[in-house]
Amino acid sequence: MEQCHATALKAAGMKATPKRLAILEMLEAEPGYASPEELWKRLKDRFDRLGLPTVYRNLEELSASGVLSKVIHPNRQLYYYFCSNREHHHHFVCLSCRKVEDIPACGIEALEQEVTRRNGGKVLSHILQLNGLCGGCADNGEIR
Amino acid sequence: MEQCHATALKAAGMKATPKRLAILEMLEAEPGYASPEELWKRLKDRFDRLGLPTVYRNLEELSASGVLSKVIHPNRQLYYYFCSNREHHHHFVCLSCRKVEDIPACGIEALEQEVTRRNGGKVLSHILQLNGLCGGCADNGEIR
DNA sequence: CTCTAAATAGAAATGATTTCGTTTTAGAAT
DNA sequence: ATTCTAAAACGAAATCATTTCTATTTAGAG
């Protein structure tokens, strides 16, 4: 388990520090997504010293290296999710219990139906947004 | 023009106040999305008094009534976009020039290709997330 | 024209997230 | 094993976009 994580971290070019591993471990055990502060509150018992900024920093770095997924939440706070699925996929997020379910394919209309058919529940809204550079901007590749 | 907006506001059950209309007008003239503060800076010349909270409040209300669209931005700040398209659709957002282009259909893979084929440019990332209630939660419809 | 609920002002608070300078540590090299 | 160095962590403090609060103003129905 933690060996796994250490390997994944190495692969991502990150040091396998105890705190980093603990964050991964805790998030993996989590059935759904969690906020930095929640993780910090639970984790700081395990260490004599653990700063909240360290949790923020690690979650962001891990998310940037693709080890974790970031959840886009209506309340605009940060939430992270441990997702072992390395295939291209999307997530169904339950706003009530925070459970995250993988959605293997794209194609939204059919998607919603399939999700509700398979898992039951109800899709209240979805977010689909493509980010990138338009024709004019792709050339001189700046980000404003 | 402003008649239109007044009608749209009435339809949404909102009073057609001068400031509200000015916000709509300015955002409609905008080629892309804008932040509350940007709009406020440009609008406060037109009024002897205009508070930033008023702009925030109105943008949120207008977005909630579907008159405006909210943009999900990597920097996690609020941006709004005037979108006259009343059909179900999604947006392609240029992170460089802020232009917003409508995407008429869903189906992501094909979608990205179509967007780049039609408009040129480059899709750097996309966000697809379904929000809702899972089977277990749909019954006692609480939001945590 | 009146009246009332909705909208606004503006200062102040909020609070999640980030920054900063210093100290510690993982892990490669010796 | 020991040394060394870049990366990681600390934690107090800062940031700053966003929201709250109470008093005042106003749109628009009657």
Side-chain angles (χ1 to χ4, degrees):
Chain A
M1 269 317 96
E2 72 260 0
Q3 197 51 260
C4 254
H5 290 161
T7 311
L9 288 175
K10 292 242 174 84
M14 301 173 76
K15 288 186 182 177
T17 69
K19 289 166 186 177
R20 200 167 266 169
L21 290 168
I23 289 171
L24 277 181
E25 221 177 286
M26 171 146 290
L27 211 42
E28 185 171 26
E30 197 72 18
Y33 59 84
S35 73
E37 185 162 15
E38 287 159 2
L39 293 169
W40 173 66
K41 278 180 179 161
R42 280 184 260 159
L43 244 22
K44 63 181 180 165
D45 296 331
R46 292 206 210 160
F47 298 92
D48 44 344
R49 313 175 107 215
L50 174 64
L52 182 51
T54 294
V55 178
Y56 269 93
R57 194 184 328 106
N58 273 306
L59 288 170
E60 178 52 36
E61 288 163 352
L62 290 166
S63 157
S65 357
V67 181
L68 296 179
S69 314
K70 207 181 279 193
V71 171
I72 295 172
H73 199 276
N75 73 6
R76 300 177 359 90
Q77 289 179 205
L78 288 170
Y79 295 99
Y80 294 89
Y81 172 62
F82 185 93
C83 184
S84 52
N85 186 345
R86 301 256 66 86
E87 304 299 313
H88 171 79
H89 69 289
H90 297 288
H91 290 139
F92 172 83
V93 178
C94 179
L95 293 177
S96 180
C97 73
R98 300 181 167 199
K99 187 162 63 173
V100 180
E101 292 167 9
D102 286 3
I103 300 168
C106 304
I108 275 208
E109 231 68 305
L111 212 60
E112 292 195 355
Q113 291 175 11
E114 192 184 349
V115 168
T116 52
R117 182 178 58 74
R118 194 190 303 167
N119 309 110
K122 191 174 172 59
V123 176
L124 297 177
S125 66
H126 61 249
I127 297 166
L128 167 57
Q129 185 177 289
L130 305 186
N131 294 323
L133 301 172
C134 73
C137 299
D139 304 325
N140 44 13
E142 248 76 7
I143 304 281
R144 193 202 296 183
Chain B
M1 262 331 83
E2 71 260 1
Q3 196 52 258
C4 256
H5 290 161
T7 312
L9 289 175
K10 292 243 174 84
M14 303 172 75
K15 287 186 182 176
T17 69
K19 288 164 187 178
R20 200 166 265 168
L21 290 169
I23 289 171
L24 278 181
E25 222 177 285
M26 170 147 290
L27 211 42
E28 184 171 25
E30 197 72 18
Y33 59 83
S35 74
E37 186 163 15
E38 286 159 1
L39 293 169
W40 173 66
K41 279 180 179 162
R42 281 183 258 160
L43 281 169
K44 64 182 179 162
D45 297 332
R46 294 206 208 160
F47 298 92
D48 45 344
R49 313 174 108 212
L50 174 64
L52 182 51
T54 295
V55 178
Y56 270 91
R57 195 183 329 106
N58 274 306
L59 289 170
E60 179 52 35
E61 287 163 352
L62 290 166
S63 157
S65 356
V67 181
L68 296 179
S69 314
K70 209 181 279 196
V71 171
I72 295 172
H73 198 276
N75 74 6
R76 302 178 358 91
Q77 290 180 205
L78 290 169
Y79 294 98
Y80 295 89
Y81 173 61
F82 183 94
C83 186
S84 50
N85 187 344
R86 301 258 64 85
E87 304 300 314
H88 171 78
H89 70 290
H90 297 288
H91 290 140
F92 171 82
V93 178
C94 179
L95 294 179
S96 179
C97 72
R98 300 180 167 200
K99 186 162 64 174
V100 180
E101 292 167 9
D102 286 3
I103 299 169
C106 302
I108 275 209
E109 230 68 305
L111 212 60
E112 290 195 355
Q113 290 175 12
E114 192 183 348
V115 168
T116 51
R117 183 178 57 72
R118 194 192 301 168
N119 307 110
K122 191 173 172 61
V123 176
L124 297 176
S125 68
H126 61 250
I127 297 166
L128 169 56
Q129 185 176 289
L130 305 186
N131 294 321
L133 301 172
C134 73
C137 300
D139 304 323
N140 43 12
E142 247 76 7
I143 304 281
R144 193 202 295 182

